[in-house]
Amino acid sequence: MATPPVLPQPPTNFEANPPPMGPTPPQQPPGTDMTGICFRDQLWLNTYPLDRNLVFDYFALSPFYDWTCNNEQLRSQSIHPLDLSHLLKMTGTEYMLSEVMEPHLFVFRKQKRDSAEKVTPMLTYYVLDGSIYQAPQLCSVFAARVGRALYYISKAFGTAASKLEKIGYVDSENEGAASESKTGKEVIDFKEVKRIDHILASLQRKLPPAPPPPSFPEGYVPQSTTEEEKGPETQQGGEPQLPPVDPIIDQGPAKRMKF
């Protein structure tokens, strides 16, 4: 009876390396801009746990790994590639594990070491739930955000311009209609005016003349005559007088006809 194959167990030694899975990647330095690709090895993730001790070996399988770094020299000497006591004594390109949130997030910083105290950051990579990415540079992030903002601003201006064009077109139509109605109202048909004058004149000839105004009652003296007799001096020095009452129009409530 054949025994089922047994998967290799993860190494228990801190300085040991897991056995390589699959073909070895070519030992060539990766390109500078590799933000458009993602690396993930599901077979390795199913075989070994992703923790701070083995995450660098998993990162070394990706195309982001520079095989000329100091960490690879430590790996060839069976030393843990993230051993800071050995990395501080070396110069050149190296990877440093800067942030760890096991088992979901691991951040690697690629830097150039000139001495134990002087390092120059180059690039940043992160392992998020088993997928490896290259973090974009700050200038690229700003350029992308500014480009996106300009896109939406130009789109908003285009939409506003199209709506303003429609509003202006409607206003021009309204102005044209108003001007047409105004010109139509201002145009006078002289034939119609003459025809109406002729009708009014014929009606005036047919109607009897207006009756004369009624005469004043006996003993009534017009107000204008009394004021002329008093003179302007008496009018200015006396009290203000009430307005004249027409005896024909206002004769008191008792004399009005009741309907």
Side-chain angles (χ1 to χ4, degrees):
M1 182 176 179
T3 58
V6 180
L7 294 175
Q9 298 295 327
T12 56
N13 187 8
F14 182 80
E15 296 182 355
N17 296 324
M21 301 297 296
T24 304
Q27 298 185 3
Q28 296 180 0
T32 302
D33 188 6
M34 302 178 71
T35 55
I37 64 175
C38 169
F39 176 81
R40 184 181 181 88
D41 191 341
Q42 193 62 43
L43 181 60
W44 195 99
L45 295 173
N46 295 337
T47 306
Y48 304 105
L50 193 60
D51 54 15
R52 65 178 65 225
N53 295 330
L54 299 178
V55 67
F56 189 86
D57 297 293
Y58 179 61
F59 177 75
L61 300 177
S62 68
F64 307 107
Y65 184 63
D66 188 357
W67 289 82
T68 62
C69 62
N70 298 335
N71 308 86
E72 184 62 26
Q73 298 180 19
L74 297 180
R75 291 182 68 193
S76 62
Q77 300 173 12
S78 299
I79 303 174
H80 195 276
L82 298 177
D83 192 349
L84 190 58
S85 60
H86 291 80
L87 290 175
L88 292 177
K89 301 176 182 179
M90 305 174 69
T91 58
T93 305
E94 65 180 17
Y95 293 92
M96 185 68 64
L97 187 62
S98 58
E99 299 289 340
V100 177
M101 295 178 60
E102 291 181 332
H104 302 289
L105 179 63
F106 304 88
V107 180
F108 285 98
R109 183 175 67 246
K110 184 179 181 181
Q111 57 190 12
K112 182 180 180 183
R113 181 173 294 277
D114 298 327
S115 63
E117 294 81 13
K118 184 179 180 181
V119 291
T120 303
M122 299 172 63
L123 295 171
T124 303
Y125 306 89
Y126 58 96
V127 184
L128 180 62
D129 292 331
S131 300
I132 306 177
Y133 307 88
Q134 176 181 344
Q137 296 183 1
L138 191 59
C139 58
S140 302
V141 174
F142 284 158
R145 296 294 176 85
V146 171
R148 182 178 299 179
L150 290 176
Y151 167 76
Y152 285 112
I153 290 173
S154 61
K155 187 176 180 180
F157 274 112
T159 305
S162 62
K163 291 184 178 181
L164 289 175
E165 288 179 359
K166 293 180 180 179
I167 294 173
Y169 180 72
V170 173
D171 291 343
S172 62
E173 287 185 350
N174 295 336
E175 290 178 359
S179 60
E180 290 178 359
S181 62
K182 186 176 180 181
T183 53
K185 291 179 180 179
E186 290 179 355
V187 173
I188 299 174
D189 191 357
F190 292 100
K191 294 181 179 180
E192 189 71 16
V193 173
K194 290 182 179 180
R195 189 176 68 85
I196 293 174
D197 291 343
H198 179 70
I199 293 172
L200 294 176
S202 62
L203 290 174
Q204 186 176 7
R205 286 193 299 270
K206 292 179 180 180
L207 292 175
S215 58
F216 294 104
E218 297 179 359
Y220 175 75
V221 179
Q223 187 72 19
S224 59
T225 307
T226 58
E227 289 179 358
E228 291 176 357
E229 292 177 354
K230 292 180 181 179
E233 296 180 357
T234 309
Q235 293 180 3
Q236 292 179 1
E239 297 180 355
Q241 300 178 359
L242 296 176
V245 179
D246 192 347
I248 299 176
I249 297 176
D250 193 355
Q251 296 179 359
K255 298 180 180 180
R256 292 182 181 178
M257 296 179 64
K258 297 183 179 180
F259 296 96

